Amino acid sequence: MAFIQYETEGQVAILTIDRPKALNALDSAVLKELDAAIDAIDLNEVRCLIITGAGEKSFVAGADIGEMSKLTKAEGEAFGKTGNDVFRKIETLPIPVIAAVNGFALGGGNELAMSCDIRICSENAVFGQPETGLGITPGFGGTQRLARLVSPGYAKQLLYTAANIKAHEALRIGLVNAVYPLEELLPAAKKMAAQIAFNAPIAVRACKKAVNEGLELGMDDAIALEEKIFGDCFETEDQVAGMAFFLKKDKQKGEKHAPYQNK
Ligand code: CAA
């Protein structure tokens, strides 16, 4: 692949968007590769995915403005669907996805980060939806996910003003979970990913499904969904091993829980 690097470290995968000449901006070719890279993840082996950008300046500086400048209405809508389909695939990937935001996360970059389960960023990160300054709306989910992640009022402020915010403001409004010096960002993402990978994979996946699908429902239906997903965990290999380990009288001191096998 020309624009995506992909590597695994144990049960953690790291996907890096790498298009240095455009600060990792997303054109059709990058989106196509991103889609193929997500499809190629071995979900029997990988328990957590980290998405980041190459270099020290930018996560993703948005959708490619040069490519978009030539689009017709129909092509614009199709381009939005291409991005939305890939980002929805990331959002609904069975395993957790951490965005390690290492610089500019503007437009499609912020939208990519928002399709991930968890966002952490470096101190030089900059977030924003600059689209109204370009004569368009966000097109890869920004009008929808931003209002769900931060308050609708703050989301509208960012959308209408097209103003960028820095890392600590993103932390304050809950857009990111933590801010690190740049050199500590990827190690922190890997540490969190390893902690996720250490837990029972069936249960972790079930939590993602319960939160994501529950957020779309009213509370009565959401609670019923949780009951179903909770029940589905019982009799699984993970539940049997996990609870047996806890109840085992002769377990080694310091062992946190059962070693969970790949599924
Ligand atoms: N599309 C295409 N090229 C881009 C790009 C983008 N989104 N962002 C940066 N680049 C290119 C620049 O054109 C420049 O290329 P050249 O060297 O060939 O001129 C190169 O990357 C480096 O960028 P700058 O020289 O501008 O770097 P800078 O440090 O001065 O500024 C920046 C950095 C503030 C991120 C600035 O590049 C910028 O404002 N980029 C555009 C950000 C933006 O508006 N993103 C939203 C796009 S719309 C969108 O994403 C719609 C959607 O929802 C789908």
Side-chain angles (χ1 to χ4, degrees), residues 158-181:
L158 288 173
L159 295 168
Y160 303 163
T161 64
N164 294 340
I165 56 169
K166 293 184 176 170
H168 282 98
E169 180 64 355
L171 178 66
R172 191 187 71 78
I173 65 171
L175 185 56
V176 300
N177 290 4
V179 181
Y180 298 92

PDB file of all heavy atoms in Angstrom, residues 158-181:
ATOM      1  N   LEU A 158     -18.248  24.966  16.883  1.00  0.00           N
ATOM      2  CA  LEU A 158     -17.101  24.559  16.051  1.00  0.00           C
ATOM      3  C   LEU A 158     -17.483  24.521  14.569  1.00  0.00           C
ATOM      4  O   LEU A 158     -16.713  24.931  13.703  1.00  0.00           O
ATOM      5  CB  LEU A 158     -16.584  23.195  16.500  1.00  0.00           C
ATOM      6  CG  LEU A 158     -15.836  23.173  17.843  1.00  0.00           C
ATOM      7  CD1 LEU A 158     -15.522  21.734  18.264  1.00  0.00           C
ATOM      8  CD2 LEU A 158     -14.547  23.980  17.772  1.00  0.00           C
ATOM      9  N   LEU A 159     -18.694  24.028  14.291  1.00  0.00           N
ATOM     10  CA  LEU A 159     -19.121  23.915  12.889  1.00  0.00           C
ATOM     11  C   LEU A 159     -19.358  25.291  12.266  1.00  0.00           C
ATOM     12  O   LEU A 159     -18.930  25.548  11.138  1.00  0.00           O
ATOM     13  CB  LEU A 159     -20.410  23.087  12.799  1.00  0.00           C
ATOM     14  CG  LEU A 159     -20.295  21.610  13.213  1.00  0.00           C
ATOM     15  CD1 LEU A 159     -21.679  20.984  13.353  1.00  0.00           C
ATOM     16  CD2 LEU A 159     -19.448  20.823  12.221  1.00  0.00           C
ATOM     17  N   TYR A 160     -20.037  26.176  13.000  1.00  0.00           N
ATOM     18  CA  TYR A 160     -20.401  27.471  12.404  1.00  0.00           C
ATOM     19  C   TYR A 160     -19.199  28.412  12.309  1.00  0.00           C
ATOM     20  O   TYR A 160     -19.097  29.203  11.370  1.00  0.00           O
ATOM     21  CB  TYR A 160     -21.476  28.175  13.236  1.00  0.00           C
ATOM     22  CG  TYR A 160     -22.783  27.408  13.462  1.00  0.00           C
ATOM     23  CD1 TYR A 160     -23.655  27.806  14.488  1.00  0.00           C
ATOM     24  CD2 TYR A 160     -23.153  26.319  12.683  1.00  0.00           C
ATOM     25  CE1 TYR A 160     -24.845  27.132  14.728  1.00  0.00           C
ATOM     26  CE2 TYR A 160     -24.335  25.639  12.921  1.00  0.00           C
ATOM     27  CZ  TYR A 160     -25.172  26.046  13.938  1.00  0.00           C
ATOM     28  OH  TYR A 160     -26.344  25.374  14.183  1.00  0.00           O
ATOM     29  N   THR A 161     -18.314  28.359  13.325  1.00  0.00           N
ATOM     30  CA  THR A 161     -17.183  29.307  13.322  1.00  0.00           C
ATOM     31  C   THR A 161     -16.003  28.776  12.515  1.00  0.00           C
ATOM     32  O   THR A 161     -15.133  29.549  12.123  1.00  0.00           O
ATOM     33  CB  THR A 161     -16.664  29.577  14.754  1.00  0.00           C
ATOM     34  OG1 THR A 161     -16.141  28.357  15.303  1.00  0.00           O
ATOM     35  CG2 THR A 161     -17.768  30.146  15.650  1.00  0.00           C
ATOM     36  N   ALA A 162     -15.932  27.473  12.302  1.00  0.00           N
ATOM     37  CA  ALA A 162     -14.783  26.821  11.642  1.00  0.00           C
ATOM     38  C   ALA A 162     -13.490  27.079  12.422  1.00  0.00           C
ATOM     39  O   ALA A 162     -12.400  26.993  11.855  1.00  0.00           O
ATOM     40  CB  ALA A 162     -14.639  27.286  10.187  1.00  0.00           C
ATOM     41  N   ALA A 163     -13.616  27.415  13.704  1.00  0.00           N
ATOM     42  CA  ALA A 163     -12.419  27.718  14.509  1.00  0.00           C
ATOM     43  C   ALA A 163     -11.768  26.422  14.983  1.00  0.00           C
ATOM     44  O   ALA A 163     -12.459  25.458  15.321  1.00  0.00           O
ATOM     45  CB  ALA A 163     -12.820  28.565  15.715  1.00  0.00           C
ATOM     46  N   ASN A 164     -10.458  26.422  15.014  1.00  0.00           N
ATOM     47  CA  ASN A 164      -9.722  25.272  15.535  1.00  0.00           C
ATOM     48  C   ASN A 164      -9.570  25.369  17.047  1.00  0.00           C
ATOM     49  O   ASN A 164      -9.562  26.463  17.605  1.00  0.00           O
ATOM     50  CB  ASN A 164      -8.328  25.202  14.911  1.00  0.00           C
ATOM     51  CG  ASN A 164      -8.375  24.909  13.429  1.00  0.00           C
ATOM     52  OD1 ASN A 164      -9.383  24.408  12.924  1.00  0.00           O
ATOM     53  ND2 ASN A 164      -7.313  25.228  12.727  1.00  0.00           N
ATOM     54  N   ILE A 165      -9.431  24.229  17.699  1.00  0.00           N
ATOM     55  CA  ILE A 165      -9.126  24.212  19.127  1.00  0.00           C
ATOM     56  C   ILE A 165      -7.868  23.376  19.363  1.00  0.00           C
ATOM     57  O   ILE A 165      -7.567  22.463  18.597  1.00  0.00           O
ATOM     58  CB  ILE A 165     -10.298  23.679  19.993  1.00  0.00           C
ATOM     59  CG1 ILE A 165     -10.730  22.279  19.539  1.00  0.00           C
ATOM     60  CG2 ILE A 165     -11.456  24.648  19.998  1.00  0.00           C
ATOM     61  CD1 ILE A 165     -11.686  21.594  20.508  1.00  0.00           C
ATOM     62  N   LYS A 166      -7.182  23.718  20.458  1.00  0.00           N
ATOM     63  CA  LYS A 166      -5.947  23.001  20.783  1.00  0.00           C
ATOM     64  C   LYS A 166      -6.243  21.811  21.688  1.00  0.00           C
ATOM     65  O   LYS A 166      -7.364  21.643  22.178  1.00  0.00           O
ATOM     66  CB  LYS A 166      -4.965  23.967  21.443  1.00  0.00           C
ATOM     67  CG  LYS A 166      -4.497  25.039  20.480  1.00  0.00           C
ATOM     68  CD  LYS A 166      -3.457  25.932  21.124  1.00  0.00           C
ATOM     69  CE  LYS A 166      -2.955  26.929  20.093  1.00  0.00           C
ATOM     70  NZ  LYS A 166      -2.136  27.976  20.696  1.00  0.00           N
ATOM     71  N   ALA A 167      -5.180  21.054  21.936  1.00  0.00           N
ATOM     72  CA  ALA A 167      -5.313  19.783  22.649  1.00  0.00           C
ATOM     73  C   ALA A 167      -6.043  19.924  23.997  1.00  0.00           C
ATOM     74  O   ALA A 167      -6.945  19.139  24.296  1.00  0.00           O
ATOM     75  CB  ALA A 167      -3.933  19.175  22.864  1.00  0.00           C
ATOM     76  N   HIS A 168      -5.634  20.913  24.803  1.00  0.00           N
ATOM     77  CA  HIS A 168      -6.218  20.974  26.150  1.00  0.00           C
ATOM     78  C   HIS A 168      -7.681  21.409  26.136  1.00  0.00           C
ATOM     79  O   HIS A 168      -8.453  21.023  27.015  1.00  0.00           O
ATOM     80  CB  HIS A 168      -5.343  21.822  27.083  1.00  0.00           C
ATOM     81  CG  HIS A 168      -4.135  21.040  27.543  1.00  0.00           C
ATOM     82  ND1 HIS A 168      -2.902  21.169  26.938  1.00  0.00           N
ATOM     83  CD2 HIS A 168      -4.008  20.056  28.475  1.00  0.00           C
ATOM     84  CE1 HIS A 168      -2.052  20.303  27.501  1.00  0.00           C
ATOM     85  NE2 HIS A 168      -2.697  19.612  28.428  1.00  0.00           N
ATOM     86  N   GLU A 169      -8.064  22.188  25.125  1.00  0.00           N
ATOM     87  CA  GLU A 169      -9.486  22.527  24.995  1.00  0.00           C
ATOM     88  C   GLU A 169     -10.264  21.272  24.548  1.00  0.00           C
ATOM     89  O   GLU A 169     -11.386  21.023  25.028  1.00  0.00           O
ATOM     90  CB  GLU A 169      -9.655  23.674  23.992  1.00  0.00           C
ATOM     91  CG  GLU A 169     -11.096  24.131  23.755  1.00  0.00           C
ATOM     92  CD  GLU A 169     -11.796  24.738  24.969  1.00  0.00           C
ATOM     93  OE1 GLU A 169     -11.219  24.744  26.085  1.00  0.00           O
ATOM     94  OE2 GLU A 169     -12.946  25.179  24.809  1.00  0.00           O
ATOM     95  N   ALA A 170      -9.649  20.480  23.669  1.00  0.00           N
ATOM     96  CA  ALA A 170     -10.291  19.213  23.245  1.00  0.00           C
ATOM     97  C   ALA A 170     -10.481  18.300  24.454  1.00  0.00           C
ATOM     98  O   ALA A 170     -11.496  17.604  24.574  1.00  0.00           O
ATOM     99  CB  ALA A 170      -9.454  18.533  22.172  1.00  0.00           C
ATOM    100  N   LEU A 171      -9.501  18.326  25.361  1.00  0.00           N
ATOM    101  CA  LEU A 171      -9.613  17.518  26.584  1.00  0.00           C
ATOM    102  C   LEU A 171     -10.749  18.065  27.458  1.00  0.00           C
ATOM    103  O   LEU A 171     -11.576  17.302  27.973  1.00  0.00           O
ATOM    104  CB  LEU A 171      -8.285  17.556  27.343  1.00  0.00           C
ATOM    105  CG  LEU A 171      -8.233  16.819  28.671  1.00  0.00           C
ATOM    106  CD1 LEU A 171      -8.387  15.314  28.462  1.00  0.00           C
ATOM    107  CD2 LEU A 171      -6.909  17.095  29.390  1.00  0.00           C
ATOM    108  N   ARG A 172     -10.783  19.381  27.583  1.00  0.00           N
ATOM    109  CA  ARG A 172     -11.790  20.007  28.462  1.00  0.00           C
ATOM    110  C   ARG A 172     -13.216  19.683  28.002  1.00  0.00           C
ATOM    111  O   ARG A 172     -14.101  19.441  28.829  1.00  0.00           O
ATOM    112  CB  ARG A 172     -11.582  21.540  28.501  1.00  0.00           C
ATOM    113  CG  ARG A 172     -12.390  22.258  29.580  1.00  0.00           C
ATOM    114  CD  ARG A 172     -12.262  23.754  29.459  1.00  0.00           C
ATOM    115  NE  ARG A 172     -12.956  24.293  28.299  1.00  0.00           N
ATOM    116  CZ  ARG A 172     -14.269  24.492  28.219  1.00  0.00           C
ATOM    117  NH1 ARG A 172     -15.055  24.191  29.234  1.00  0.00           N
ATOM    118  NH2 ARG A 172     -14.813  24.979  27.111  1.00  0.00           N
ATOM    119  N   ILE A 173     -13.438  19.650  26.688  1.00  0.00           N
ATOM    120  CA  ILE A 173     -14.799  19.405  26.186  1.00  0.00           C
ATOM    121  C   ILE A 173     -15.089  17.916  25.998  1.00  0.00           C
ATOM    122  O   ILE A 173     -16.166  17.545  25.550  1.00  0.00           O
ATOM    123  CB  ILE A 173     -15.088  20.183  24.876  1.00  0.00           C
ATOM    124  CG1 ILE A 173     -14.186  19.698  23.721  1.00  0.00           C
ATOM    125  CG2 ILE A 173     -14.940  21.690  25.098  1.00  0.00           C
ATOM    126  CD1 ILE A 173     -14.576  20.267  22.358  1.00  0.00           C
ATOM    127  N   GLY A 174     -14.116  17.069  26.316  1.00  0.00           N
ATOM    128  CA  GLY A 174     -14.369  15.623  26.252  1.00  0.00           C
ATOM    129  C   GLY A 174     -14.183  15.012  24.877  1.00  0.00           C
ATOM    130  O   GLY A 174     -14.564  13.862  24.648  1.00  0.00           O
ATOM    131  N   LEU A 175     -13.592  15.780  23.964  1.00  0.00           N
ATOM    132  CA  LEU A 175     -13.349  15.215  22.627  1.00  0.00           C
ATOM    133  C   LEU A 175     -12.206  14.201  22.684  1.00  0.00           C
ATOM    134  O   LEU A 175     -12.187  13.236  21.919  1.00  0.00           O
ATOM    135  CB  LEU A 175     -13.027  16.354  21.640  1.00  0.00           C
ATOM    136  CG  LEU A 175     -12.863  16.011  20.172  1.00  0.00           C
ATOM    137  CD1 LEU A 175     -14.089  15.301  19.607  1.00  0.00           C
ATOM    138  CD2 LEU A 175     -12.569  17.274  19.353  1.00  0.00           C
ATOM    139  N   VAL A 176     -11.241  14.429  23.572  1.00  0.00           N
ATOM    140  CA  VAL A 176     -10.160  13.447  23.787  1.00  0.00           C
ATOM    141  C   VAL A 176     -10.134  13.060  25.261  1.00  0.00           C
ATOM    142  O   VAL A 176     -10.608  13.811  26.122  1.00  0.00           O
ATOM    143  CB  VAL A 176      -8.767  13.984  23.360  1.00  0.00           C
ATOM    144  CG1 VAL A 176      -8.752  14.342  21.893  1.00  0.00           C
ATOM    145  CG2 VAL A 176      -8.316  15.150  24.218  1.00  0.00           C
ATOM    146  N   ASN A 177      -9.538  11.893  25.520  1.00  0.00           N
ATOM    147  CA  ASN A 177      -9.476  11.392  26.903  1.00  0.00           C
ATOM    148  C   ASN A 177      -8.221  11.833  27.639  1.00  0.00           C
ATOM    149  O   ASN A 177      -8.207  11.865  28.871  1.00  0.00           O
ATOM    150  CB  ASN A 177      -9.496   9.863  26.917  1.00  0.00           C
ATOM    151  CG  ASN A 177     -10.842   9.296  26.509  1.00  0.00           C
ATOM    152  OD1 ASN A 177     -11.745  10.033  26.151  1.00  0.00           O
ATOM    153  ND2 ASN A 177     -10.971   7.989  26.576  1.00  0.00           N
ATOM    154  N   ALA A 178      -7.142  12.097  26.901  1.00  0.00           N
ATOM    155  CA  ALA A 178      -5.875  12.450  27.546  1.00  0.00           C
ATOM    156  C   ALA A 178      -4.959  13.129  26.544  1.00  0.00           C
ATOM    157  O   ALA A 178      -5.100  12.935  25.327  1.00  0.00           O
ATOM    158  CB  ALA A 178      -5.198  11.188  28.103  1.00  0.00           C
ATOM    159  N   VAL A 179      -4.035  13.947  27.074  1.00  0.00           N
ATOM    160  CA  VAL A 179      -3.056  14.662  26.242  1.00  0.00           C
ATOM    161  C   VAL A 179      -1.654  14.276  26.720  1.00  0.00           C
ATOM    162  O   VAL A 179      -1.406  14.255  27.930  1.00  0.00           O
ATOM    163  CB  VAL A 179      -3.236  16.199  26.383  1.00  0.00           C
ATOM    164  CG1 VAL A 179      -2.235  16.940  25.510  1.00  0.00           C
ATOM    165  CG2 VAL A 179      -4.664  16.625  26.051  1.00  0.00           C
ATOM    166  N   TYR A 180      -0.757  13.991  25.771  1.00  0.00           N
ATOM    167  CA  TYR A 180       0.610  13.560  26.111  1.00  0.00           C
ATOM    168  C   TYR A 180       1.616  14.376  25.312  1.00  0.00           C
ATOM    169  O   TYR A 180       1.308  14.837  24.202  1.00  0.00           O
ATOM    170  CB  TYR A 180       0.816  12.086  25.721  1.00  0.00           C
ATOM    171  CG  TYR A 180      -0.082  11.125  26.447  1.00  0.00           C
ATOM    172  CD1 TYR A 180      -1.313  10.758  25.909  1.00  0.00           C
ATOM    173  CD2 TYR A 180       0.294  10.584  27.679  1.00  0.00           C
ATOM    174  CE1 TYR A 180      -2.152   9.876  26.586  1.00  0.00           C
ATOM    175  CE2 TYR A 180      -0.538   9.702  28.357  1.00  0.00           C
ATOM    176  CZ  TYR A 180      -1.755   9.354  27.801  1.00  0.00           C
ATOM    177  OH  TYR A 180      -2.572   8.490  28.471  1.00  0.00           O
ATOM    178  N   PRO A 181       2.850  14.511  25.843  1.00  0.00           N
ATOM    179  CA  PRO A 181       3.921  15.017  24.973  1.00  0.00           C
ATOM    180  C   PRO A 181       3.991  14.109  23.739  1.00  0.00           C
ATOM    181  O   PRO A 181       3.746  12.887  23.862  1.00  0.00           O
ATOM    182  CB  PRO A 181       5.178  14.879  25.845  1.00  0.00           C
ATOM    183  CG  PRO A 181       4.671  14.875  27.257  1.00  0.00           C
ATOM    184  CD  PRO A 181       3.323  14.207  27.200  1.00  0.00           C
TER     185      PRO A 181
END
